[in-house]
Amino acid sequence: MSEAWLDEIKWTDDGLVPVIAQEAGSGRVLMFAWMNRESLALTVREGRAVYWSRSRGKLWRKGEESGNVQRVKEMRLDCDNDVILLTIEQVGGIACHTGRHSCFYKIFDNGQWRSVDPVLLDPQQIYSKPS
């Protein structure tokens, strides 16, 4: 498959595009991340979300450590060609590194942010590697 479709995207000056991961079925927004050309092309090829980690400066296959993979069901580009929406199946039910279903677990309530979604699994259990 030609990758000319990548040229239609308006990349940021540092070669990234913002990506929203939305759960198929519920429609709930689970997370926000970034992709570069390589990670977006890999996402299409592999059928699973591959992001660009700005903090680590490398490709990040969602679930590579936790097992909580995001299987891509549909991919859309917004009207300005500068934001991607992934409709995904969240394997394992946990999208957030805090062990919650969604990264958007805080609600603004009476002048403060309050956590409203439970931790489904302790992050140390998700990310600790056996010695």
Side-chain angles (χ1 to χ4, degrees), residues 24-78:
S26 75
R28 186 164 182 198
V29 173
L30 298 184
M31 59 177 280
F32 167 85
W34 296 93
M35 287 186 179
N36 62 11
R37 288 178 73 94
E38 182 182 10
S39 63
L40 183 54
L42 286 168
T43 295
V44 169
R45 265 188 295 234
E46 296 178 12
R48 66 177 280 186
V50 181
Y51 299 109
W52 175 256
S53 172
R54 295 183 308 162
S55 61
R56 292 176 274 182
K58 67 176 194 165
L59 292 173
W60 159 43
R61 282 175 171 79
K62 180 68 176 154
E64 64 191 358
E65 288 182 44
S66 68
N68 296 306
V69 173
Q70 291 178 345
R71 291 193 185 116
V72 177
K73 301 295 183 185
E74 183 178 75
M75 188 167 70
R76 292 182 180 231
L77 184 61
D78 79 328

Side-chain angles (χ1 to χ4, degrees), residues 1-129:
M1 163 187 347
S2 165
E3 292 187 353
W5 57 273
L6 289 165
D7 296 332
E8 294 181 44
I9 295 169
K10 290 183 185 168
W11 303 93
T12 62
D13 290 341
D14 51 356
L16 301 175
V17 65
V19 180
I20 299 164
Q22 181 179 37
E23 187 172 42
S26 75
R28 186 164 182 198
V29 173
L30 298 184
M31 59 177 280
F32 167 85
W34 296 93
M35 287 186 179
N36 62 11
R37 288 178 73 94
E38 182 182 10
S39 63
L40 183 54
L42 286 168
T43 295
V44 169
R45 265 188 295 234
E46 296 178 12
R48 66 177 280 186
V50 181
Y51 299 109
W52 175 256
S53 172
R54 295 183 308 162
S55 61
R56 292 176 274 182
K58 67 176 194 165
L59 292 173
W60 159 43
R61 282 175 171 79
K62 180 68 176 154
E64 64 191 358
E65 288 182 44
S66 68
N68 296 306
V69 173
Q70 291 178 345
R71 291 193 185 116
V72 177
K73 301 295 183 185
E74 183 178 75
M75 188 167 70
R76 292 182 180 231
L77 184 61
D78 79 328
C79 58
D80 294 323
N81 292 352
D82 62 359
V83 178
I84 292 175
L85 175 65
L86 296 180
T87 302
I88 57 101
E89 173 194 346
Q90 182 61 60
V91 176
I94 296 173
C96 185
H97 74 281
T98 66
R100 291 175 173 86
H101 181 64
S102 171
C103 293
F104 295 94
Y105 61 88
K106 296 177 186 177
I107 189 169
F108 189 71
D109 181 27
N110 204 21
Q112 63 185 1
W113 293 106
R114 185 169 52 88
S115 296
V116 294
D117 293 351
V119 172
L120 302 176
L121 190 59
D122 183 331
Q124 290 191 348
Q125 289 180 297
I126 298 171
Y127 298 105
S128 63
K129 295 184 180 183

